[in-house]
Amino acid sequence: MTRRHEPPRAWQRMLSGRRLDLLNPSPLDIEIEDIAHGLARVARWNGQTKGAHAFSVAQHCVLVEKFAAELNPKLSRMGRLTALLHDAPEYVIGDLISPFKAAVGFDYKDFELRLLAAIHIRFGLPARTPAELNALIKKADGTSAYHEATQLAGFSREEALRYFGVPPRATKMPRLSPLSTADAQALFLERFRRLAG
C-alpha cells in the first residue's frame, strides 16, 4: 500500500532480482531469463486455445522467427533475433489482443515501443527496428496468427483469411501443439542462445 504523498509504484521486481522501471526502462535491468520466464506464462488469444496448455507468447515468438527466416532465407542472425524478440515487452505488459490495443489507444503503443527499445539495446540491436525488417516481421506475425487461429483458436479458414491474410507460399505449414510453460521457456531460451551466440 502506498503512503498518501508517495507516487504509485511504477516498477516490477523480476525473479532475477532486477527492478524494472516501467516508465523509464533501462537496458541494464533486462535479463533474457526474465523475458523467457514471463513469455512462457503469457497466453496467446487470452488463453482461448485448444490443448492441455495455453499457447504461449514464447512459442509464438519462436514461430515468428521461423517464418521470418523462411520468408527471407538471407535474413541475418541479428534480423532473426529481432524477430524472436518482437513481442518481448509482453513479458511485463502481457499479450493484449489487437481489438483491446485499439481501444486503449496510442499511449499503450508508446509504452510498448519504449520497452522494446530498451530490450533491443540490451541485446545489441538497433533501438528501432528498420522499416524493411519491421514489414517482414509483421508478415511473419500475420502468418503465425493465421495458423494459430485455424489450428488452436477456433477460427474458420475464411475468418482467418479475412483477419490475417493468405499465408505466403514461402512458409511451411506448422503443426502447432501448445507446450507446458517449462518447455516453452526452454524452447525460447534455446533459440535466443543460438541466435545471440
Side-chain angles (χ1 to χ4, degrees), residues 16-127:
S16 64
R18 297 285 188 191
R19 192 169 94 164
L20 182 65
D21 182 335
L22 302 179
L23 300 179
N24 188 24
S26 167
L28 298 174
D29 291 324
I30 293 168
E31 298 292 345
I32 194 60
E33 291 79 11
D34 293 331
I35 293 172
H37 182 89
L39 294 183
R41 287 157 176 77
V42 175
R44 292 272 294 162
W45 308 94
N46 280 343
Q48 298 300 306
T49 52
K50 299 172 185 171
H53 303 286
F55 190 78
S56 71
V57 175
Q59 267 190 276
H60 165 77
C61 288
V62 171
L63 191 58
V64 169
E65 182 258 326
K66 172 189 169 300
F67 284 139
E70 287 178 7
L71 289 167
N72 179 0
K74 293 182 179 178
L75 187 61
S76 70
R77 194 169 47 84
M78 296 313 270
R80 291 181 75 156
L81 183 58
T82 303
L84 181 70
L85 295 172
H86 80 284
D87 277 342
E90 295 179 9
Y91 88 107
V92 174
I93 59 178
D95 183 23
L96 298 182
I97 58 173
S98 295
F100 191 69
K101 284 182 184 178
V104 171
F106 288 108
D107 286 347
Y108 171 85
K109 193 66 181 167
D110 180 59
F111 174 76
E112 185 177 35
L113 287 173
R114 264 187 311 204
L115 184 52
L116 184 59
I119 291 166
H120 279 190
I121 292 166
R122 169 66 177 88
F123 300 114
L125 301 169

